[in-house]
Amino acid sequence: MSPAERCPCGTDMSYDECCGPLHRGEQRAEGAEELMLARYSAFVKGEVDFIIETSHPDRRQDLKREELEAWSKESTWHGLEMLEALDGDPGDSQGIIEFIARYTNSDGEDIEHHEKALFQFVKGHWYFVDGAPARQEPFVRDDDKVGRNDPCPCGSGKKYKKCCGKAAGAEAS
């Protein structure tokens, strides 16, 4: 199978076997993760109606078709990475999917859209409800911080600011 025939969601299936039937209304997503994959593919393929139809009915009035279409068609899509799924299986009433969608926008800027998305199962259909930027974990230093007046960790016996810190300060200038 050529890369052009492969489904944009990242499976090893063709688009016509994978997300195509969902986009054409021949099938429904069985869970939140399947809907997330199909929504990503819809952005890649310009299937804006699918994006709107799979948005929660209470949220659709906030959508601007022209903006969605421009974002979909003017971006170069590079892939979807699914990071975590919390619930969202058949029989669940909701699910949360954390993902990163990578694309290049119309200005040539490479974007990593990292989000946690909420999905709900309502009257036999899964819907995207809302998304929020995923919280980045804070950096935790493994070693103690070396102060300017502390002994240099290289063992020279000098203060850090007069030894290795002096070189680090020169690089920062």
Side-chain angles (χ1 to χ4, degrees), residues 28-40:
R28 291 184 187 163
E30 294 182 14
E33 190 168 351
E34 185 178 13
L35 182 58
M36 178 67 233
L37 293 168
R39 284 177 59 88
Y40 173 79

Side-chain angles (χ1 to χ4, degrees), residues 2-44:
S2 75
E5 295 171 335
R6 185 164 295 157
C7 192
C9 75
T11 64
D12 287 331
M13 297 190 314
S14 73
Y15 171 74
D16 286 334
E17 295 173 316
C18 189
C19 291
L22 295 165
H23 294 171
R24 293 187 299 268
E26 299 167 3
Q27 287 178 240
R28 291 184 187 163
E30 294 182 14
E33 190 168 351
E34 185 178 13
L35 182 58
M36 178 67 233
L37 293 168
R39 284 177 59 88
Y40 173 79
S41 289
F43 275 104
V44 175

